[in-house]
Short mmCIF file of all heavy atoms in Angstrom, two decimals:
data_model
loop_
_atom_site.label_atom_id
_atom_site.label_comp_id
_atom_site.label_asym_id
_atom_site.label_seq_id
_atom_site.Cartn_x
_atom_site.Cartn_y
_atom_site.Cartn_z
N ARG G 1 -7.27 16.82 -1.38
CA ARG G 1 -7.41 17.48 -0.09
C ARG G 1 -8.87 17.81 0.20
O ARG G 1 -9.35 17.64 1.33
CB ARG G 1 -6.55 18.75 -0.05
CG ARG G 1 -6.60 19.46 1.30
CD ARG G 1 -5.54 20.54 1.38
NE ARG G 1 -5.73 21.58 0.39
CZ ARG G 1 -4.89 22.61 0.19
NH1 ARG G 1 -3.79 22.71 0.94
NH2 ARG G 1 -5.13 23.51 -0.74
N ALA G 2 -9.59 18.29 -0.81
CA ALA G 2 -11.01 18.59 -0.62
C ALA G 2 -11.81 17.31 -0.33
O ALA G 2 -12.74 17.31 0.50
CB ALA G 2 -11.56 19.29 -1.86
N ALA G 3 -11.43 16.19 -1.00
CA ALA G 3 -12.14 14.94 -0.77
C ALA G 3 -11.88 14.42 0.65
O ALA G 3 -12.80 13.93 1.32
CB ALA G 3 -11.71 13.90 -1.80
N VAL G 4 -10.61 14.53 1.11
CA VAL G 4 -10.29 14.09 2.47
C VAL G 4 -11.03 14.95 3.50
O VAL G 4 -11.56 14.44 4.50
CB VAL G 4 -8.77 14.14 2.70
CG1 VAL G 4 -8.44 13.92 4.18
CG2 VAL G 4 -8.07 13.10 1.84
N GLN G 5 -11.10 16.25 3.25
CA GLN G 5 -11.81 17.13 4.18
C GLN G 5 -13.30 16.81 4.22
O GLN G 5 -13.91 16.78 5.31
CB GLN G 5 -11.59 18.59 3.77
CG GLN G 5 -12.19 19.59 4.75
CD GLN G 5 -11.86 21.03 4.38
OE1 GLN G 5 -11.49 21.31 3.24
NE2 GLN G 5 -11.99 21.93 5.33
N ALA G 6 -13.88 16.54 3.07
CA ALA G 6 -15.31 16.19 3.03
C ALA G 6 -15.57 14.87 3.76
O ALA G 6 -16.56 14.73 4.50
CB ALA G 6 -15.78 16.10 1.58
N PHE G 7 -14.67 13.90 3.57
CA PHE G 7 -14.82 12.62 4.26
C PHE G 7 -14.71 12.80 5.77
O PHE G 7 -15.49 12.22 6.55
CB PHE G 7 -13.76 11.64 3.76
CG PHE G 7 -13.83 10.28 4.40
CD1 PHE G 7 -14.77 9.35 4.00
CD2 PHE G 7 -12.95 9.93 5.42
CE1 PHE G 7 -14.83 8.10 4.60
CE2 PHE G 7 -13.01 8.69 6.02
CZ PHE G 7 -13.96 7.76 5.60
N ALA G 8 -13.74 13.63 6.20
CA ALA G 8 -13.56 13.88 7.63
C ALA G 8 -14.76 14.58 8.22
O ALA G 8 -15.21 14.27 9.34
CB ALA G 8 -12.30 14.69 7.86
N ARG G 9 -15.31 15.55 7.52
CA ARG G 9 -16.49 16.24 8.03
C ARG G 9 -17.70 15.31 8.13
O ARG G 9 -18.52 15.44 9.04
CB ARG G 9 -16.81 17.43 7.13
CG ARG G 9 -15.84 18.60 7.28
CD ARG G 9 -16.16 19.73 6.33
NE ARG G 9 -15.34 20.90 6.62
CZ ARG G 9 -15.36 22.03 5.91
NH1 ARG G 9 -16.17 22.13 4.84
NH2 ARG G 9 -14.59 23.04 6.25
N ALA G 10 -17.80 14.37 7.18
CA ALA G 10 -18.91 13.42 7.24
C ALA G 10 -18.78 12.50 8.45
O ALA G 10 -19.78 12.09 9.04
CB ALA G 10 -18.96 12.61 5.95
N ARG G 11 -17.54 12.15 8.84
CA ARG G 11 -17.34 11.23 9.96
C ARG G 11 -17.32 11.94 11.31
O ARG G 11 -17.77 11.38 12.31
CB ARG G 11 -16.04 10.45 9.79
CG ARG G 11 -15.99 9.50 8.62
CD ARG G 11 -17.11 8.46 8.67
NE ARG G 11 -17.11 7.69 9.90
CZ ARG G 11 -16.50 6.52 10.05
NH1 ARG G 11 -15.81 6.02 9.04
NH2 ARG G 11 -16.56 5.87 11.19
N PHE G 12 -16.80 13.17 11.37
CA PHE G 12 -16.57 13.82 12.66
C PHE G 12 -17.40 15.10 12.87
O PHE G 12 -17.38 15.64 13.97
CB PHE G 12 -15.08 14.17 12.81
CG PHE G 12 -14.18 12.98 12.78
CD1 PHE G 12 -13.60 12.55 11.59
CD2 PHE G 12 -13.91 12.27 13.93
CE1 PHE G 12 -12.76 11.45 11.55
CE2 PHE G 12 -13.07 11.15 13.91
CZ PHE G 12 -12.51 10.75 12.71
N GLY G 13 -18.11 15.56 11.84
CA GLY G 13 -18.90 16.78 11.98
C GLY G 13 -18.29 17.93 11.19
O GLY G 13 -17.07 18.13 11.19
N ALA G 14 -19.14 18.70 10.52
CA ALA G 14 -18.66 19.75 9.63
C ALA G 14 -17.88 20.83 10.37
O ALA G 14 -16.90 21.38 9.86
CB ALA G 14 -19.83 20.37 8.87
N GLN G 15 -18.29 21.17 11.59
CA GLN G 15 -17.65 22.24 12.33
C GLN G 15 -16.48 21.76 13.18
O GLN G 15 -15.84 22.57 13.85
CB GLN G 15 -18.68 22.92 13.23
CG GLN G 15 -19.91 23.44 12.51
CD GLN G 15 -19.55 24.45 11.42
OE1 GLN G 15 -18.68 25.29 11.61
NE2 GLN G 15 -20.23 24.35 10.28
N ALA G 16 -16.21 20.46 13.18
CA ALA G 16 -15.19 19.91 14.07
C ALA G 16 -13.86 19.66 13.37
O ALA G 16 -12.89 19.26 14.02
CB ALA G 16 -15.68 18.61 14.69
N VAL G 17 -13.76 19.91 12.05
CA VAL G 17 -12.58 19.54 11.28
C VAL G 17 -11.78 20.78 10.91
O VAL G 17 -12.33 21.78 10.42
CB VAL G 17 -12.98 18.77 10.00
CG1 VAL G 17 -11.75 18.44 9.16
CG2 VAL G 17 -13.73 17.49 10.38
N THR G 18 -10.48 20.70 11.18
CA THR G 18 -9.54 21.75 10.76
C THR G 18 -8.53 21.12 9.81
O THR G 18 -7.80 20.20 10.18
CB THR G 18 -8.81 22.35 11.98
OG1 THR G 18 -9.78 22.92 12.86
CG2 THR G 18 -7.82 23.41 11.54
N MET G 19 -8.49 21.63 8.56
CA MET G 19 -7.56 21.11 7.56
C MET G 19 -6.30 21.95 7.54
O MET G 19 -6.36 23.18 7.31
CB MET G 19 -8.23 21.10 6.18
CG MET G 19 -7.31 20.71 5.05
SD MET G 19 -6.60 19.04 5.24
CE MET G 19 -8.02 18.04 4.84
N ALA G 20 -5.15 21.34 7.78
CA ALA G 20 -3.86 22.06 7.79
C ALA G 20 -2.82 21.26 7.02
O ALA G 20 -1.65 21.18 7.42
CB ALA G 20 -3.41 22.29 9.23
N ALA G 21 -3.24 20.62 5.92
CA ALA G 21 -2.33 19.82 5.11
C ALA G 21 -1.93 20.60 3.85
O ALA G 21 -2.77 21.23 3.21
CB ALA G 21 -2.99 18.50 4.73
N ARG G 22 -0.65 20.50 3.50
CA ARG G 22 -0.17 21.18 2.29
C ARG G 22 -0.16 20.20 1.13
O ARG G 22 -0.17 18.97 1.31
CB ARG G 22 1.21 21.77 2.51
CG ARG G 22 2.35 20.78 2.65
CD ARG G 22 3.66 21.50 2.91
NE ARG G 22 4.80 20.59 3.06
CZ ARG G 22 5.55 20.15 2.06
NH1 ARG G 22 5.25 20.51 0.81
NH2 ARG G 22 6.59 19.36 2.28
N VAL G 23 -0.10 20.76 -0.10
CA VAL G 23 -0.10 19.96 -1.31
C VAL G 23 1.34 19.60 -1.66
O VAL G 23 2.24 20.44 -1.66
CB VAL G 23 -0.76 20.72 -2.47
CG1 VAL G 23 -0.63 19.94 -3.77
CG2 VAL G 23 -2.23 20.98 -2.15
N ASP G 24 1.55 18.30 -1.96
CA ASP G 24 2.85 17.79 -2.37
C ASP G 24 2.61 16.76 -3.46
O ASP G 24 2.03 15.70 -3.22
CB ASP G 24 3.58 17.16 -1.18
CG ASP G 24 4.97 16.68 -1.53
OD1 ASP G 24 5.36 16.78 -2.71
OD2 ASP G 24 5.68 16.17 -0.63
N GLY G 25 3.03 17.08 -4.67
CA GLY G 25 2.77 16.19 -5.79
C GLY G 25 3.68 14.99 -5.84
O GLY G 25 3.47 14.08 -6.67
N ASP G 26 4.71 14.92 -5.01
CA ASP G 26 5.67 13.83 -5.05
C ASP G 26 5.48 12.92 -3.84
O ASP G 26 6.35 12.81 -2.98
CB ASP G 26 7.09 14.39 -5.09
CG ASP G 26 8.12 13.31 -5.36
OD1 ASP G 26 7.72 12.25 -5.88
OD2 ASP G 26 9.30 13.52 -5.02
N LEU G 27 4.31 12.27 -3.77
CA LEU G 27 3.99 11.38 -2.65
C LEU G 27 3.92 9.94 -3.14
O LEU G 27 3.68 9.69 -4.34
CB LEU G 27 2.65 11.78 -2.01
CG LEU G 27 2.64 13.12 -1.27
CD1 LEU G 27 1.22 13.47 -0.81
CD2 LEU G 27 3.58 13.10 -0.07
N PRO G 28 4.12 8.97 -2.26
CA PRO G 28 4.10 7.56 -2.69
C PRO G 28 2.74 7.17 -3.27
O PRO G 28 1.70 7.76 -2.96
CB PRO G 28 4.39 6.80 -1.39
CG PRO G 28 5.03 7.78 -0.49
CD PRO G 28 4.45 9.12 -0.84
N GLN G 29 2.76 6.13 -4.09
CA GLN G 29 1.52 5.63 -4.69
C GLN G 29 0.60 5.07 -3.59
O GLN G 29 1.05 4.40 -2.66
CB GLN G 29 1.84 4.56 -5.72
CG GLN G 29 0.63 4.07 -6.50
CD GLN G 29 1.00 3.06 -7.56
OE1 GLN G 29 2.17 2.66 -7.65
NE2 GLN G 29 0.03 2.64 -8.36
N GLY G 30 -0.70 5.35 -3.72
CA GLY G 30 -1.67 4.87 -2.74
C GLY G 30 -1.73 5.70 -1.48
O GLY G 30 -2.35 5.28 -0.48
N TRP G 31 -1.10 6.87 -1.47
CA TRP G 31 -1.08 7.72 -0.26
C TRP G 31 -2.50 8.13 0.15
O TRP G 31 -2.83 8.13 1.34
CB TRP G 31 -0.21 8.95 -0.52
CG TRP G 31 -0.04 9.85 0.66
CD1 TRP G 31 -0.72 11.00 0.93
CD2 TRP G 31 0.87 9.67 1.74
NE1 TRP G 31 -0.29 11.56 2.10
CE2 TRP G 31 0.69 10.76 2.63
CE3 TRP G 31 1.83 8.70 2.07
CZ2 TRP G 31 1.41 10.90 3.80
CZ3 TRP G 31 2.56 8.85 3.23
CH2 TRP G 31 2.35 9.93 4.08
N SER G 32 -3.31 8.52 -0.81
CA SER G 32 -4.67 8.99 -0.50
C SER G 32 -5.48 7.88 0.18
O SER G 32 -6.21 8.13 1.15
CB SER G 32 -5.38 9.45 -1.78
OG SER G 32 -4.64 10.46 -2.42
N MET G 33 -5.36 6.65 -0.32
CA MET G 33 -6.10 5.55 0.29
C MET G 33 -5.61 5.28 1.71
O MET G 33 -6.40 4.98 2.61
CB MET G 33 -5.95 4.29 -0.56
CG MET G 33 -6.69 3.07 0.00
SD MET G 33 -8.46 3.38 0.26
CE MET G 33 -9.00 3.52 -1.45
#
């Protein structure tokens, strides 16, 4: 989640990103990519 937020801030601006995703350990393989 921290890596996705950092990537989003790099693409869209640090002050423009709102992270509202919850953690779920049972997600399909390759979900992050």
